[in-house]
Amino acid sequence: MTTTAAAQRFAVCAIPLNRVPVVRHLTARAVPARGVEIGVIAQRPTARAEAAWARRLATAERPSAADLVAIDDPHGHVVATPTDRLVPAELLDDGGFLTRNLGGWAPILFGVFGLPEASGEAPTDPVLAVTRVLAEHGPRIRARGAEPAQVAARLETEVGTDAAGVAAAVGHLHALRARYEGRPAEHVAVLARALAKGGDLRESVDLTAADARGAAGGGLAGDHADATPVPRLLLLDELMAQLVATEAARRAAVAERDPARAEALAETQAVWGERDGLRLLLKGEYIAGRHRRSTVLLAPGLGLVVKQPAPEPDHDIAFGEEENWPYAVDGGALVTARGRLGEIVADGLVPRLDRISGREVAFSTLLGLIVEPFVDGPTLQAHVLEDPARMTAEVYDELVVAQLLCEALGVDNPDWHAANFIVPAAGGSLVHIDWGAATPLAPAEAADPAAARARLDKVANVAYSFHDAAIAERVASLHAALRDDEVRLEGLRRRAAELAARA
């Protein structure tokens, strides 16, 4: 049975999942859950936190940017989770997921967690017994979140309205939630229609339905109901919220061994994919070498992709011979999605890299979203897994050019993952679709040849993202050959310099 303990202290933690007692604990799949409950920082706020925020906006006489970003409190994301439910059940179907070491990338769960108050006794829960606390936060989570002044300055650019307009739109959307509570299929259909109709919810809601109460009097959101379209960005955020909630419910049904419920939700998701072209990628946990937390909404029918970074502590990775362990940086402050977008906009590096790549990308500090054009084609990961012979020296050169472009611009991008590159169906060079990990290089780092060589060597980490030993060996061989070929490297540097000149 589940042992419940109030999460009274928060800390940055690293949890090795490959320890024998932990593997047994996670794979037992007991029903009901039997682990101690700890606080997990979910991707999005809880429904309760969002409802309270919507009420605050509705009652504010003159809503401000501070009111709009009040939702950006990580305590509103905390969900009590038994330790044997920390890893989605589907991942455990891969027998080697918890034990496979990918060149030092052992599965280490990492993040800010709410832990039971220390009792002085050794924990009996197998997960808590191996949990390594990297930085203490205490009863309040230290976080870098949205900056109201920055959000206020960008509101018109991002959503085309002021704070009162955003508050009214939130009222519309939360009234819609109430109307379609328990009916996600209909709810998502309404949002998809509204996006196709320029944000007009009144045209998109089926007013012939039995629940169309108060329609004649503007029943969508009381006094706020009018013909003003809901801004597209807010519709996209609400669409993502509903897809995340449905996926979370499906995963919970799988974990609780309720196949009928899980299959019904999966069928609904399949309809969204076939009818509306909507697909959600939810990585709700950071597992080193396996998952970097994020949420991605693929919407080819709308011609776009919507991304939201996850609330994640400031950190880096210590590379070791046996296991690569994350460690806290600057106290391990939790960076929210809005906080991360604020930093991206402020330093300008990621927008610059996207412009060089020829892509028009929108960045929202209000919602913590990135909206970019959809590129038709498989990821490099899928492309090579289908036929490993496709991992050629020419393809590897393109990955290295991306790194050398960063070098030319004074950027460090440590996240080399095959799923971050698209092989365009129309042909041409690989398209890098995720510069989110890019950070500016310190002057001393940029001027250090040894550090530059180490950054180049990190490109070879793309090998482990295929989760295939033979492909990993092939990538290692390609990297070694390139590393020793200064003439070839110089040619790639020239290509990178030409791209950098476009900035």
Side-chain angles (χ1 to χ4, degrees), residues 5-69:
Q8 297 181 357
R9 65 185 250 265
F10 291 89
V12 181
C13 300
I15 306 171
L17 302 177
N18 59 0
R19 306 311 194 241
V20 172
V22 176
V23 172
R24 290 174 180 162
H25 184 66
L26 293 174
T27 56
R29 302 190 183 183
V31 178
R34 62 180 185 179
V36 170
E37 286 189 342
I38 63 175
V40 172
I41 315 298
Q43 174 71 21
R44 297 184 64 92
T46 64
R48 181 178 179 179
E50 287 199 310
W53 172 64
R55 287 193 297 272
R56 170 175 174 164
L57 293 181
T59 56
E61 185 175 345
R62 297 185 64 182
S64 66
D67 292 318
L68 299 185
V69 301

Side-chain angles (χ1 to χ4, degrees), residues 46-315:
T46 64
R48 181 178 179 179
E50 287 199 310
W53 172 64
R55 287 193 297 272
R56 170 175 174 164
L57 293 181
T59 56
E61 185 175 345
R62 297 185 64 182
S64 66
D67 292 318
L68 299 185
V69 301
I71 190 63
D72 199 35
D73 179 351
H75 286 268
H77 290 240
V78 177
V79 177
T81 305
T83 57
D84 64 350
R85 297 289 192 266
L86 291 174
V87 178
E90 296 94 325
L91 298 180
L92 302 177
D93 288 335
D94 174 358
F97 185 84
L98 296 176
T99 54
R100 189 183 302 123
N101 190 306
L102 304 169
W105 291 102
I108 297 173
L109 183 67
F110 173 73
V112 171
F113 298 97
L115 303 176
E117 193 64 48
S119 66
E121 299 179 2
T124 56
D125 183 291
V127 171
L128 294 180
V130 301
T131 295
R132 185 180 297 181
V133 173
L134 307 180
E136 292 277 4
H137 280 210
R140 291 292 304 176
I141 301 168
R142 294 194 306 276
R144 296 204 307 269
E147 291 290 343
Q150 183 188 43
V151 171
R154 290 176 53 86
L155 263 184
E156 288 288 344
T157 299
E158 291 185 9
V159 293
T161 188
D162 59 10
V166 172
V170 170
H172 286 308
L173 293 171
H174 277 257
L176 201 67
R177 285 190 184 190
R179 171 171 289 187
Y180 290 103
E181 185 176 1
R183 294 182 287 160
E186 295 173 62
H187 194 170
V188 167
V190 166
L191 295 170
R193 285 200 300 270
L195 281 162
K197 292 177 178 293
D200 192 332
L201 278 177
R202 297 193 312 169
E203 287 189 17
S204 303
V205 176
D206 180 6
L207 295 180
T208 65
D211 68 325
R213 53 194 175 277
L220 266 184
D223 294 338
H224 290 304
D226 55 31
T228 305
V230 172
R232 179 171 178 259
L233 196 66
L234 289 165
L235 279 171
L236 289 171
D237 182 66
E238 180 65 10
L239 179 61
M240 180 178 279
Q242 297 309 313
L243 296 180
V244 168
T246 301
E247 173 60 8
R250 188 196 66 80
R251 291 183 182 186
V254 171
E256 293 301 313
R257 298 186 185 276
D258 186 348
R261 174 69 172 156
E263 288 169 15
L265 290 168
E267 288 172 5
T268 297
Q269 292 171 319
V271 169
W272 293 335
E274 295 167 7
R275 183 192 65 200
D276 304 313
L278 301 175
R279 183 184 172 207
L280 183 79
L281 306 178
L282 175 62
K283 295 179 181 177
E285 59 290 313
Y286 182 135
I287 302 177
R290 271 73 171 170
H291 274 196
R292 183 74 181 269
R293 292 187 69 183
S294 66
T295 302
V296 180
L297 168 59
L298 303 173
L302 298 171
L304 52 80
V305 176
V306 185
K307 299 177 179 177
Q308 186 172 60
E312 192 173 274
D314 201 355
H315 71 284

